Amino acid sequence: MTDSDRLKREVLAAVRDQFARVDEISELNTRKVLDAMRDCRVSAAHFTPTTGYAYGDIGRETLDKLYAGVFGAERALVRTQFVSGTHALATVLFGLLRPGDELISLTGAPYDTMQTVIGHAQPSKGSLKEFGVGYNELPLLNGRVDVDGIKQILSSRTKMVLIQRSRGYSMREPLSIDDIELICRTVKKINANIVTFVDNCYGEFVETREPIEVGADVIAGSLIKNIGGGLAPTGGYIVGRGDVVEQASYRLTAPGMGDELGATLCDGRLLYQGLFMAPHVTAQALKSAIFAAALFSRLGYRTSPSVEAPRGDIIQAIELGTAEKLIAFCRAIQSNSPVDSYAAPEPWDMPGYDDQVIMAAGTFVQGASIELSADGPMREPYAVYLQGGLTFEHSMTALMRTVEEIQSEARR
Ligand SMILES: *Cc1c(COP(=O)(O)O)cnc(C)c1O
């Protein structure tokens, strides 16, 4: 047995309990999705693409009903016309907020692209700020939501609060569903009219309950992350209270049109089968993250979350400590990808970021971060953010080879 095989065995033995928990969650979520599919009487007729206005597109209508069922919500808007998660999230914001209203982020500074949508950190064209929507944010307290500070930050103009479930690309911990429940309850106790909006990106199926089930009014996310199961070719979703989703639908299309038109241009099967696969694929990504945490912590690197910590999203951060190691990590992941394995990623000046960023993404669907991918900003502590993995076997292979690359980089 080689040293590498021995290391792999030790790591697999160390994560056995965590993997068992992931399998349990995946089973419960699979049941949830299956039962929603049975309730909706899904059949092959729902997979047919449509054209033009697509009035009465039963595939589109049933998919909306299915998502609403899975998330325990009144209504859903699932569309390939959403170009990304940011687009779906922005549709909720612009659909509901009016001049003079105020949005409050309760989870500190939001995800980079959302800051551009909001437009308060830095001016941006077409932003909420340009429309006269106010904004404020509650800073995190030791990396956690300052629940006691919520009352002070809400004002009479506050129409909506934004709650980001995932860590995004920061070192803070993701929120648990229990955290989300407490936050929503706290907000509603202060003012029941405030809309509680959860950015659900990277969080779907990581736990057995979803934000709507614990008091969120509306959630939104991307189909090329967890919920698309690796099969959805593009798109986003908005799910929640009937009146809120309806209001958002008029922003996606036009007043009077809402969710009643919009052609299904792709093979609808990919959206349905992707949802069916999503609990399992999310479990594969979680196992990849846990394995990475165990492997790299054994080698002496700080990881966040740690191996044992409960998970709220599929992201694994590993502090590599040097620029050389960060580059070697991303290059090794890229060269062990099924697509574009021959490409060598380089740090580059990404729009909207202060430091250079390096990214590895040899994915079937462009930019799909439910597929194995890694990225990180070129600054201390040279942390790499790893996410995805359609199959754990692929992630394990890629990670073991990455360790070999990093160790030979360290010897150089
Ligand atoms: C991915 C993500 C988004 C949306 O990003 P897109 O690339 O537009 O899909 C928003 N918020 C969080 C926390 C995310 O992880």
Side-chain angles (χ1 to χ4, degrees):
M1 199 160 56
T2 64
D3 285 352
S4 173
D5 285 335
R6 201 168 296 119
L7 176 62
K8 186 176 84 182
R9 282 196 188 191
E10 283 171 13
V11 171
L12 283 173
V15 297
R16 207 173 293 146
D17 291 350
Q18 281 74 31
F19 276 27
R21 178 73 190 127
V22 168
D23 286 334
E24 243 170 72
I25 292 171
S26 175
E27 183 188 345
L28 291 168
N29 284 325
T30 298
R31 256 189 246 172
K32 191 192 255 188
V33 172
L34 176 65
D35 289 343
M37 288 188 153
R38 296 169 68 200
D39 288 344
C40 288
R41 300 172 65 91
V42 172
S43 80
H46 296 129
F47 307 157
T48 314
T50 53
T51 58
Y53 298 134
Y55 291 125
D57 177 337
I58 57 164
R60 186 192 64 218
E61 289 171 3
T62 306
L63 190 65
D64 284 350
K65 218 182 289 170
L66 184 57
Y67 264 65
V70 166
F71 283 109
E74 289 171 4
R75 191 160 170 165
L77 190 64
V78 188
R79 293 294 183 280
T80 55
Q81 281 85 6
F82 285 123
V83 300
S84 69
T86 304
H87 185 194
L89 289 153
T91 302
V92 173
L93 298 176
F94 282 98
L96 274 97
L97 296 166
R98 295 292 176 266
D101 288 345
E102 180 186 58
L103 171 71
I104 309 272
S105 167
L106 295 181
T107 38
Y111 195 73
D112 291 85
T113 57
M114 296 310 294
Q115 297 195 28
T116 309
V117 169
I118 293 164
H120 279 259
Q122 267 179 35
S124 56
K125 286 185 183 167
S127 68
L128 282 177
K129 186 172 186 201
E130 273 193 359
F131 283 86
V133 174
Y135 174 76
N136 205 350
E137 66 193 28
L138 183 65
L140 295 170
L141 198 62
N142 304 319
R144 303 189 56 86
V145 173
D146 178 14
V147 176
D148 296 330
I150 293 178
K151 200 179 167 74
Q152 283 76 28
I153 195 118
L154 301 181
S155 80
S156 59
R157 297 198 303 137
T158 307
K159 174 83 169 285
M160 183 188 282
V161 292
L162 176 63
I163 302 158
Q164 184 180 305
R165 184 172 176 184
S166 164
R167 68 167 64 230
Y169 296 112
S170 71
M171 287 305 269
R172 77 148 164 105
E173 295 296 316
L175 301 185
S176 69
I177 284 292
D178 288 341
D179 294 331
I180 292 172
E181 182 165 34
L182 176 64
I183 297 163
C184 290
R185 195 177 293 163
T186 305
V187 170
K188 292 291 183 182
K189 211 182 286 170
I190 297 162
N191 180 351
N193 293 323
I194 293 176
V195 175
T196 48
F197 174 28
V198 175
D199 174 349
N200 208 32
C201 284
Y202 285 136
E204 302 93 348
F205 299 137
V206 171
E207 296 193 53
T208 55
R209 294 182 304 163
E210 295 291 333
I212 302 287
E213 296 169 87
V214 298
D217 288 315
V218 62
I219 61 178
S222 164
L223 299 195
I224 64 168
K225 292 182 180 172
N226 310 18
I227 195 86
L231 291 178
T234 186
Y237 72 88
I238 298 170
V239 176
R241 232 169 64 193
D243 60 322
V244 173
V245 176
E246 181 186 358
Q247 197 70 34
S249 77
Y250 298 133
R251 175 71 194 196
L252 170 64
T253 59
M257 293 184 173
D259 65 359
E260 292 183 70
L261 71 179
T264 305
L265 293 173
C266 71
D267 183 354
R269 175 182 63 83
L270 299 172
L271 305 176
Y272 283 90
Q273 193 177 352
L275 176 63
F276 178 71
M277 294 296 296
H280 178 74
V281 171
T282 302
Q284 300 297 292
L286 282 169
K287 287 182 178 180
S288 306
I290 293 165
F291 182 85
L295 178 61
F296 280 85
S297 59
R298 190 162 286 248
L299 297 173
Y301 296 93
R302 201 177 91 81
T303 70
S304 171
S306 64
V307 180
E308 293 83 12
R311 304 241 156 200
D313 63 19
I314 62 167
I315 299 175
Q316 180 64 51
I318 305 164
E319 290 183 10
L320 294 169
T322 71
E324 291 73 25
K325 285 185 189 173
L326 176 55
I327 293 170
F329 189 106
C330 290
R331 289 203 169 149
I333 293 290
Q334 181 79 39
S335 82
N336 285 286
S337 296
V339 180
D340 295 338
S341 58
Y342 53 84
E346 294 276 353
W348 64 298
D349 295 302
M350 216 168 104
Y353 291 81
D354 292 337
D355 299 281
Q356 287 200 316
V357 175
I358 184 162
M359 299 187 149
T363 56
F364 290 97
V365 170
Q366 191 193 86
S369 40
I370 188 60
E371 298 185 46
L372 186 65
S373 46
D375 35 68
M378 301 299 297
R379 63 163 181 255
E380 293 282 346
Y382 296 98
V384 71
Y385 295 87
L386 179 79
Q387 62 269 318
L390 294 179
T391 74
F392 172 60
E393 295 84 341
H394 168 224
S395 303
M396 184 165 56
T397 302
L399 285 163
M400 291 309 298
R401 290 179 178 169
T402 298
V403 164
E404 284 168 27
E405 287 299 318
I406 289 197
Q407 286 179 332
S408 64
E409 173 58 47
R411 277 192 296 272
R412 228 166 267 155

